[in-house]
């Protein structure tokens, strides 16, 4: 029932998957990332594959038992990103190797996980929160992002985050990606069934401006249901056995050939 207080502990929690949609849509709200996804990815046709690949990377760089596969997984991502470069419809250049783009993607992963942690377990001790934040820089540095790009502390991150939110250019490509993601036309039936719930969780988590730009507004009834859902999750999830809470991370680690047992730390 204890709350996760380290990056590795939080990464193991299946609950963080509730922030996956928000992280993805925040990423594509960044114009260069949206161009790369729109022109070089078909993840809306196979969202599960995109989620699995993202989780493989996150677990490989954040979990100590995955150290043996860390470089291999980072290499996969780098090779996949290598051809993702070009000029978007508005004439702006984009590249997956751009450190600023890497910073934004890493920041969305940290922000979404921290948002879920806060809604599930409440306020974390400032010292532990700062340590988790500092450790989260690896989400970008593992791909070559210079460590100095990561804001120096949580307060600096919050200032930087709010500034970047105000600078985002939500393009038609980003809006199309959002529509296709939740339509899930090519996804398995079970995933399409869950998409209305995923849409509500995602909309409730997104910053207001981005949510509006992507056409994911929540009406009053939707906001009420979103809060009720989180109330249920807060009451039930922390009481589940760790083996259930950590099932997604265990499954992904097995897919990477990592057989060591994960811990609760």
């Amino acid at each position: 029932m204890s709350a996760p207080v380290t990056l590795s502990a939080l990464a193991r929690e299946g609950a963080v998957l509730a922030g996956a949609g928000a992280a993805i849509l925040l990423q594509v709200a960044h114009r260069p990332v949206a161009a790369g996804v729109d022109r070089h990815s078909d993840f809306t046709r196979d969202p599960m594959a995109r989620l699995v690949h993202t989780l493989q990377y996150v677990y490989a760089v954040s979990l100590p038992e995955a150290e043996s596969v860390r470089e291999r997984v980072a290499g996969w991502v780098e090779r996949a990103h290598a051809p993702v470069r070009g000029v978007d419809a508005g004439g702006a250049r984009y590249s997956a190797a751009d450190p600023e783009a890497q910073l934004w993607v890493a920041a969305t992963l940290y922000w979404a996980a921290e948002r879920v942690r806060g809604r599930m377990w409440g306020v974390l001790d400032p010292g532990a929160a700062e340590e988790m934040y500092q450790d989260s820089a690896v989400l970008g540095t593992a791909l070559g992002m210079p460590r100095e790009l990561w804001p120096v502390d949580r307060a600096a991150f919050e200032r930087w985050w709010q500034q970047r939110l105000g600078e985002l250019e939500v393009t038609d490509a980003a809006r199309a990606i959002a529509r296709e993601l939740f339509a899930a036309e090519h996804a398995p039936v079970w995933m399409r069934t869950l998409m209305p719930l995923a849409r509500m969780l995602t909309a409730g988590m997104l910053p207001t401006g981005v949510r509006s730009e992507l056409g994911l507004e929540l009406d009053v009834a939707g906001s009420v249901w979103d809060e009720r859902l989180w109330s249920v999750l807060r009451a039930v999830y922390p009481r589940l056995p760790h083996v259930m809470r950590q099932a997604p991370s265990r499954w992904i680690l097995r897919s990477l050939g990592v057989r060591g047992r994960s811990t609760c730390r």
Side-chain angles (χ1 to χ4, degrees):
M1 291 175 59
S2 60
V5 297
T6 65
L7 174 63
S8 59
L10 180 59
R12 290 190 181 94
E13 295 286 352
V16 299
L17 298 181
I24 289 171
L25 293 187
L26 279 165
Q27 288 166 23
V28 300
H30 185 273
R31 179 176 172 177
V33 176
V37 171
D38 181 49
R39 298 189 174 201
H40 302 270
S41 173
D42 62 351
F43 91 89
T44 54
R45 287 181 169 270
D46 193 357
M48 180 56 72
R50 169 63 181 255
L51 178 61
V52 167
H53 294 156
T54 299
L55 292 176
Q56 286 177 330
Y57 172 72
V58 170
Y59 295 148
V61 303
S62 64
L63 301 185
E65 64 268 32
E67 183 177 4
S68 62
V69 300
R70 194 161 297 157
E71 289 188 8
R72 172 161 56 92
V73 174
W76 293 348
V77 178
E78 288 176 347
R79 286 191 291 275
H81 285 176
V84 181
R85 61 180 67 244
V87 179
D88 70 13
R93 292 190 174 277
Y94 64 89
S95 169
D98 177 11
E100 291 291 341
Q102 293 172 345
L103 170 60
W104 178 249
V105 170
T108 65
L109 294 173
Y110 163 74
W111 182 89
E114 173 60 17
R115 182 104 169 142
V116 170
R117 191 210 57 73
R119 297 198 72 171
M120 183 68 70
W121 289 281
V123 177
L124 187 62
D125 171 81
E130 184 64 37
E131 182 177 355
M132 188 181 295
Y133 167 72
Q134 296 294 341
D135 289 345
S136 297
V138 73
L139 297 171
T141 58
L143 292 178
M145 180 197 82
R147 179 63 175 79
E148 58 268 24
L149 283 185
W150 193 245
V152 65
D153 56 26
R154 290 177 69 229
F157 177 87
E158 181 61 24
R159 292 191 298 270
W160 171 86
W161 178 260
Q162 293 301 326
Q163 178 182 347
R164 292 309 303 268
L165 286 178
E167 296 170 349
L168 291 176
E169 297 180 66
V170 178
T171 62
D172 289 341
R175 283 184 277 270
I177 289 167
R179 287 194 301 270
E180 292 171 13
L181 176 64
F182 293 118
E185 294 180 355
H186 304 282
V189 173
W190 68 266
M191 184 174 287
R192 291 201 302 274
T193 302
L194 292 175
M195 277 303 172
L197 178 62
R199 187 186 188 281
M200 184 175 67
L201 280 171
T202 298
M205 195 171 297
L206 285 171
T208 303
V210 176
R211 181 169 66 226
S212 177
E213 287 282 347
L214 289 171
L216 295 174
E217 295 91 343
L218 278 179
D219 57 18
V220 173
S223 297
V224 170
W225 277 108
D226 178 63
E227 186 50 47
R228 287 178 178 173
L229 175 60
W230 277 104
S231 295
V232 171
L233 290 173
R234 283 191 293 269
V236 175
Y237 179 84
R239 291 172 170 79
L240 295 176
H242 280 292
V243 68
M244 293 180 64
R245 288 165 49 170
Q246 297 179 1
S249 61
R250 291 174 184 271
W251 176 60
I252 294 294
L253 288 173
R254 283 197 297 271
S255 77
L256 292 172
V258 176
R259 301 295 178 181
R261 295 178 62 186
S262 64
T263 67
C264 299
R265 293 183 176 275

